């Protein structure tokens, strides 16, 4: 028995747990090896089951549920060793986007699975997060810093960068933005990871 069995004994939570168990139980070891760190069909399957919208509100097409329900899905994904960035994008990034007042159009893409966000400089265990610095310049704010560990890969569509400074900010940029260098590597569990380096990239006002 895990700690999740004591969180939410509601029928809704049980339905989510059962659905997640069926979904992850159908993923074979061979499928995990063949997916090479990310499987687009599996990601779409998560979207179809509402995984990416578990914390999003109705306006973005989400389910509007809470942390307990998200924890059930995170546990299922971790137990099955799914390499897809569910927690990074659909929990950490989505929560930050909502807190920053992102529009429903941005969140809707995440909920549908068409946008995959990589948190940069936040969302990792204490001691591993390395924030970028933001310094005002004539065109807005200049971002500098190297974040050695981010859950970013060829599937990532957007970087969500936390920059610390006189005015902390959360910058959302396409993953292929010029002036941002990403050095890819792989985790021991097969996940796509990367080191993100910014050397004075300017975010406009």
């Amino acid at each position: 028995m895990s700690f999740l069995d004591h969180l939410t004994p509601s029928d809704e939570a049980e339905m989510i747990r059962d659905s997640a168990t069926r979904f992850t139980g159908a993923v074979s070891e061979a499928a995990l090896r063949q997916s090479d760190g990310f499987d687009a069909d599996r990601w779409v399957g998560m979207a179809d089951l509402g995984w990416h919208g578990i914390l999003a509100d109705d306006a973005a097409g989400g389910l509007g549920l809470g942390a307990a329900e998200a924890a059930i899905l995170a546990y299922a994904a971790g137990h099955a060793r799914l390499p897809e960035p569910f927690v990074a994008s659909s929990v950490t990034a989505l929560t930050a986007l909502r807190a920053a007042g992102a529009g429903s159009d941005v969140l809707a893409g995440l909920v549908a699975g068409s946008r995959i966000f990589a948190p940069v400089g936040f969302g990792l265990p204490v001691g591993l997060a390395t924030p970028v610095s933001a310094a005002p310049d004539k065109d807005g704010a200049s971002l500098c810093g190297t974040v050695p560990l981010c859950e970013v890969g060829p599937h990532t569509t957007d970087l969500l960068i936390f920059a610390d400074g006189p005015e902390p900010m959360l910058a959302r940029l396409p993953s292929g933005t010029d002036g941002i260098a990403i050095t890819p590597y792989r985790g021991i569990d097969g996940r796509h990871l990367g080191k993100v380096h910014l050397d004075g990239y300017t975010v406009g006002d």
Side-chain angles (χ1 to χ4, degrees):
M1 179 177 292
S2 74
F3 79 98
L4 291 172
D5 295 307
H6 303 287
L7 279 179
T8 49
S10 68
D11 291 340
E12 187 173 64
E14 286 300 321
M15 290 174 60
I16 292 170
R17 183 181 288 106
D18 291 345
S19 174
T21 300
R22 287 194 300 271
F23 177 77
T24 58
V27 180
S28 67
E29 287 288 335
L32 288 175
R33 290 193 297 270
Q34 292 169 4
S35 63
D36 193 32
F38 182 86
D39 183 86
D41 290 338
R42 196 156 55 228
W43 190 256
V44 171
M46 293 178 185
D48 291 342
L49 291 172
W51 284 42
H52 307 317
I54 195 77
L55 297 175
D57 57 26
D58 291 343
L63 300 178
L65 298 176
E69 290 79 13
I72 291 171
L73 298 181
Y75 178 85
H79 184 72
R81 294 183 290 109
L82 301 187
E84 287 75 28
F86 166 70
V87 171
S89 181
S90 307
V91 177
T92 303
L94 187 144
T95 300
L97 285 165
R98 289 192 65 186
S104 58
D105 56 333
V106 174
L107 298 179
L110 194 159
V111 169
S114 60
R115 302 182 77 160
I116 302 176
F117 284 80
V120 178
F122 72 102
L124 293 170
V126 173
L128 293 180
T130 307
V132 173
S133 64
D137 68 14
K138 62 184 179 62
D139 297 315
S142 178
L143 306 183
C144 294
T146 298
V147 182
L149 175 60
C150 301
E151 199 162 346
V152 60
H155 51 272
T156 303
T157 62
D158 297 80
L159 303 177
L160 194 61
I161 303 169
F162 170 69
D164 200 5
E167 296 184 8
M169 64 183 297
L170 196 65
R172 176 170 53 86
L173 301 169
S175 61
T177 299
D178 290 339
I180 301 177
I182 299 176
T183 303
Y185 59 98
R186 302 294 288 273
I188 59 173
D189 56 358
R191 286 183 300 163
H192 288 279
L193 304 172
K195 179 172 71 173
V196 177
H197 178 69
L198 300 99
D199 185 13
Y201 180 84
T202 298
V203 177
D205 290 327

